[in-house]
Amino acid sequence: MRILVVCGAGASSTFVAQRVRHAAHAQGLDYSAFAGTEQSLPIDLDAADVVLVGPHLSHAMERIERDAAARGTTVVLLPSDIFGDRDGTRTLALVRAATGDGNPPPADEPSAETPSNTTAPPSRSVTEDGDS
């Protein structure tokens, strides 16, 4: 799934896109996310399955939804506190709910609660006499 995050100038959308991309990968989802601006939206829409719209662009939602509908693209207006979603899991949940992809990841895939980059400490073997 291709996720476009749109804001006014592209700065805050870059952070949201990066966080949602990391959250998706941590959950084993084949999602990509990229940032765009309101001005680049007509071009960027062609490459997106979902558009996440920054809360400060709520005034443009009618136009964005109309343009996205012509391409079969889902649009989600992000809540005003979304920039506090530091790990992207809340934003990812919004995407999955909007697209109907709310299924949990397979059991063998890491979840958001189990970061994929953690490793267990090396194990030590102990012999019968207690030596390692």
Side-chain angles (χ1 to χ4, degrees), residues 78-122:
L78 293 171
S80 60
D81 63 347
I82 201 64
F83 303 109
D85 179 24
R86 298 288 181 207
D87 65 1
T89 55
R90 182 169 166 233
T91 307
L92 179 60
L94 291 170
V95 169
R96 295 186 81 185
T99 62
D101 184 23
N103 298 327
D108 60 342
E109 293 291 340
S111 68
E113 293 79 30
T114 310
S116 59
N117 62 350
T118 58
T119 56

Side-chain angles (χ1 to χ4, degrees), residues 26-119:
Q27 293 185 24
L29 300 171
D30 187 22
Y31 288 11
S32 62
F34 60 102
T37 66
E38 186 176 9
Q39 290 74 30
S40 69
L41 188 58
I43 296 166
D44 292 338
L45 265 175
D46 290 330
D49 299 307
V50 176
V51 177
L52 303 179
V53 180
H56 50 287
L57 295 179
S58 62
H59 66 277
M61 278 298 288
E62 186 177 318
R63 177 182 45 81
I64 294 170
E65 288 175 326
R66 183 182 60 247
D67 292 347
R71 294 167 172 89
T73 303
T74 302
V75 176
V76 177
L77 178 62
L78 293 171
S80 60
D81 63 347
I82 201 64
F83 303 109
D85 179 24
R86 298 288 181 207
D87 65 1
T89 55
R90 182 169 166 233
T91 307
L92 179 60
L94 291 170
V95 169
R96 295 186 81 185
T99 62
D101 184 23
N103 298 327
D108 60 342
E109 293 291 340
S111 68
E113 293 79 30
T114 310
S116 59
N117 62 350
T118 58
T119 56

